[in-house]
Amino acid sequence: MRLACAGAPHLTYCTNIHAGETWSEVKQSLETHLLAIWSRAAGGEEGALRGQGGRGAEGLGPSARRRCGVGLRLSARAAAELAAPAELDAFRDFLERNGLYVFTLNGFPYGRFHGAAVKERVYLPDWLDEERLAYSNLLATLLAELLPANEGLMGSVSTVPGAFRPRVRTPSDAAAMARRLVEHAAHLVEIRRRTGKHIALALEPEPCCFLETTPEAIGFFTDHVFAPERARELSALAGMSLPDAEEALRSHLGLCFDACHMAVEFEDAPASLAALRAAGIGVHKVQLSAGLRARVAEREPATMARLRAYAEDVVYLHQVVERREGGGELVRYLDLPEALASLEGAKAAPPGAQSEEWRVHFHVPIFRELEGTLATTQPELATLLSHLRDSPATQHLEVETYTWDVLPEDQRRGGLVEAVARELRWVEERMVGNGSVGVGVGEGRGVNVGEGRGVGGSGGVGGGREVGASYGGRADSGVGASSGGRADRGAGAQR
């Protein structure tokens, strides 16, 4: 649905919260959960979603004029199965009958994402691998088939942040990823020519990855993706003029701005968005998410016990960024168990080296400011939403709390349907206020962002200095090569 606020952004939730690796499993989850979530978000029953009465016409649920958006996650297997013409036709019919439309895909996890250890394998294949390119091309082709043909409605596909940090060992690796991104951009240009539909790829910075922070993302796009040689490559691949190729790179390649990830990095979200805009980097999707925060210097028993409860998850990585007292140094740990082991095995820290705060990459329901004895980064998310309400930065807003199945049991009371519906209502209330209504898919135009040409930056993006030891024995030793990132001694990567 579109929110009745500046820019009229589309709001949805990401279906990666539901297990499902085959298309049959995805279909079942949509039929079981998606309809119920949107109906509950509207305050009605399933009939309200279909425009058959109830309160659906008064809130988030669609009537004959309002439709609800779908943020669809497809594994490589599910995508290949959906590509069958009969399956595509049946899915389009399902969307139409139920007042739904797909405007964004989650193309981050390629394979299994629930019920087994994923950890750092979630990034594979990455943009160093041809299979990532093939998968992303297929997702874009499918989205073009599903995206409503309404003027001003673009589509987005979020993807991995290049690669897991240790995989990128040399500047040539960064260049190789940029070349594959250009090949994908050529595919997106061809789709636009053939269908008239504008689709953009959105790389999603994440802790402990090649693209981790906003300055690193700006550096990579400036030095590699938007470099003159990349524009020449796209010009040759797509048969277009050099100025058109330069514009197409900026139009089709950009970022997915995940609120949890940026808060974990202690970034100031409005400042980060301003820096991206100044650099001419489009934000094609904002994922609305929250992580955990904790003050661990005193090792308060209830706080430590709660952190250990979250550390029991063996499926996902839960990276930790620690800000230290005094100078605000940032120290990184690859996973929560590693951070806990380091804390519990350490002697008393000298003055200025004590931990001031931990931020943990563990997505939690965004309507909660507290998770048991822990706080969350909900205040940072609320600040971001306030900024987006007044200064639109994207057409696409997507709630993403994929960790539902691995949350501590007491945080899952009430059930998944009610939790996601409550998240959607929480966002709507902060973007447009209580009782406001959405607008139809074809009503109003989205806002274009990232059209600036100059490369710029913004002071105050980060929340601390990069120094000292970090995850896996890696030390952050200052500024890396050419693109404004760090030099990682442990991984040998430079950015």
Side-chain angles (χ1 to χ4, degrees):
M1 62 160 302
R2 301 194 81 166
L3 296 174
C5 59
H10 299 259
L11 172 66
T12 187
Y13 79 95
C14 186
T15 63
N16 66 354
I17 195 172
H18 310 306
E21 306 307 326
T22 68
W23 174 238
S24 176
E25 292 168 344
V26 173
K27 278 194 302 183
Q28 183 177 1
S29 76
L30 297 179
E31 292 167 356
T32 302
H33 300 295
L34 180 70
L35 302 182
I37 285 169
W38 274 119
S39 294
R40 188 70 61 86
E45 302 301 328
E46 187 171 313
L49 184 62
R50 295 192 171 104
Q52 298 169 356
R55 295 173 55 197
E58 301 170 359
L60 290 171
S63 65
R65 187 171 68 86
R66 289 181 206 96
R67 306 176 72 192
C68 292
V70 181
L72 187 63
R73 185 256 160 168
L74 295 171
S75 69
R77 178 177 174 181
E81 293 168 351
L82 175 58
E87 293 291 351
L88 263 176
D89 288 342
F91 185 45
R92 280 191 289 253
D93 181 64
F94 168 81
L95 295 170
E96 183 63 29
R97 282 187 289 107
N98 290 286
L100 302 166
Y101 66 104
V102 177
F103 65 88
T104 186
L105 298 183
N106 187 317
F108 195 124
Y110 174 95
R112 186 170 182 176
F113 193 55
H114 286 273
V118 177
K119 297 293 183 180
E120 60 265 38
R121 288 191 292 276
V122 72
Y123 310 111
L124 296 174
D126 53 33
W127 282 99
L128 290 167
D129 195 315
E130 285 293 322
E131 189 55 37
R132 173 60 64 171
L133 173 61
Y135 170 52
S136 300
N137 284 351
L138 175 58
L139 291 179
T141 299
L142 290 172
L143 184 53
E145 294 288 336
L146 298 171
L147 191 67
N150 297 99
E151 184 179 358
L153 177 59
M154 68 174 291
S156 63
V157 180
S158 51
T159 188
V160 295
F164 185 46
R165 185 183 294 277
R167 284 263 295 160
V168 185
R169 297 180 176 87
T170 66
S172 63
D173 288 335
M177 289 190 291
R179 285 192 294 272
R180 285 195 179 85
L181 290 170
V182 169
E183 291 184 57
H184 181 63
H187 182 70
L188 299 180
V189 168
E190 188 277 329
I191 287 175
R192 195 169 190 178
R193 285 172 175 166
R194 176 170 50 84
T195 69
K197 295 179 180 180
H198 177 196
I199 295 172
L201 184 75
L203 280 74
E204 182 181 333
E206 180 171 311
C208 301
C209 291
F210 172 67
L211 298 185
E212 179 168 2
T213 67
T214 296
E216 287 178 341
I218 291 173
F220 175 62
F221 273 81
T222 301
D223 294 344
H224 294 284
V225 180
F226 297 157
E229 58 266 35
R230 300 288 90 81
R232 289 191 291 270
E233 288 171 2
L234 181 59
S235 175
L237 286 169
M240 60 200 317
S241 69
L242 188 58
D244 285 348
E246 291 171 347
E247 178 63 29
L249 285 175
R250 293 179 182 271
S251 176
H252 290 292
L253 301 177
L255 290 186
C256 171
F257 192 91
D258 186 291
C260 171
H261 300 176
M262 296 300 98
V264 167
E265 294 290 341
F266 290 89
E267 290 199 17
D268 177 278
S272 294
L273 290 172
L276 291 167
R277 188 179 185 92
I281 300 169
V283 176
H284 299 306
K285 176 159 65 176
V286 171
Q287 286 185 326
L288 307 176
S289 53
L292 297 170
R293 67 197 314 156
R295 294 188 177 274
V296 298
E298 301 302 321
R299 307 186 192 186
E300 198 274 325
T303 296
M304 299 305 294
R306 195 66 180 169
L307 286 169
R308 292 188 197 100
Y310 282 96
E312 290 177 2
D313 172 37
V314 298
V315 178
Y316 305 112
L317 276 183
H318 299 296
Q319 302 95 316
V320 177
V321 180
E322 174 185 282
R323 183 169 65 185
R324 292 187 171 174
E325 293 178 343
E329 297 91 348
L330 299 181
V331 178
R332 289 173 167 78
Y333 301 92
L334 178 60
D335 210 350
L336 181 54
E338 177 186 328
L340 286 169
S342 176
L343 178 68
E344 292 168 347
K347 298 179 180 178
Q354 268 198 336
S355 171
E356 177 186 23
E357 183 177 332
W358 277 10
R359 302 254 177 113
V360 185
H361 175 222
F362 198 127
H363 288 217
V364 294
I366 63 175
F367 55 80
R368 293 197 184 111
E369 190 171 356
L370 297 175
E371 284 281 322
T373 57
L374 303 177
T376 75
T377 62
Q378 187 205 72
E380 284 74 16
L381 176 57
T383 296
L384 171 61
L385 289 175
S386 177
H387 174 78
L388 293 173
R389 184 186 61 225
D390 299 330
S391 304
T394 184
Q395 286 191 26
H396 297 172
L397 302 177
E398 181 182 61
V399 172
E400 193 203 32
T401 312
Y402 62 86
T403 49
W404 176 262
D405 289 344
V406 298
L407 287 171
E409 185 177 355
D410 65 321
Q411 297 301 319
R412 288 181 276 132
R413 291 173 186 159
L416 181 150
V417 169
E418 176 57 31
V420 179
R422 190 174 171 187
E423 289 184 302
L424 292 166
R425 291 195 300 266
W426 188 88
V427 173
E428 187 199 22
E429 289 166 2
R430 278 146 189 81
M431 292 295 287
V432 298
N434 290 320
S436 55
V437 298
V439 297
V441 175
E443 299 177 26
R445 293 180 62 91
V447 58
N448 292 322
V449 298
E451 294 180 352
R453 286 307 189 126
V455 174
S458 173
V461 170
R465 293 186 294 113
E466 304 277 359
V467 303
S470 69
Y471 72 84
R474 195 195 73 194
D476 295 335
S477 57
V479 178
S482 72
S483 42
R486 296 188 303 276
D488 298 333
R489 294 197 202 110
Q494 290 187 329
R495 284 189 292 295

